[in-house]
Amino acid sequence: MEFLKSFATILFVMLLAMSALETGPMVRAQECLDNLSNMQVCAPLVLPGAVNPAPNSNCCIALQATNKDCICNALRAATTFTATCNLPSLDCGITI
């Protein structure tokens, strides 16, 4: 089970980093890669079955230090990957 959590965390960070690199012309790619890698401390909070999904201080500090364009670019890219991969669109019940 621990392996699955570690794998999910790595996958989450890689997805965000790749998304920022592909869609972030307004901010430097390396800046986004570094910023989004720092967000890894928040990954356990978004995994299915998280016991306490409220962000801890480390997550809040990482979020505050992250360029908002990097986060938005990563989220926008993640929603477009489904079409590129011929998968159903993401519908998480939120609007960005």
Side-chain angles (χ1 to χ4, degrees):
M1 183 60 137
E2 190 63 31
F3 169 78
L4 289 177
K5 287 183 180 180
S6 296
F7 180 75
T9 300
I10 292 168
L11 187 61
F12 172 76
V13 171
M14 287 177 56
L15 174 66
L16 290 177
M18 289 180 350
S19 301
L21 290 173
E22 292 293 325
T23 63
M26 293 176 52
V27 292
R28 293 183 334 191
Q30 186 62 46
E31 178 186 353
C32 281
L33 180 60
D34 294 343
N35 280 191
L36 295 173
S37 292
N38 292 337
M39 291 293 301
Q40 182 177 359
V41 297
C42 300
L45 305 173
V46 299
L47 293 174
V51 177
N52 183 10
N56 57 35
S57 62
N58 290 335
C59 179
C60 292
I61 290 167
L63 181 60
Q64 182 179 16
T66 300
N67 183 306
K68 304 314 176 241
D69 287 337
C70 294
I71 295 172
C72 292
N73 286 339
L75 293 173
R76 274 193 291 276
T79 61
T80 63
F81 287 168
T82 55
T84 304
C85 297
N86 295 319
L87 298 170
S89 63
L90 297 174
D91 180 14
C92 303
I94 59 170
T95 303
I96 299 174

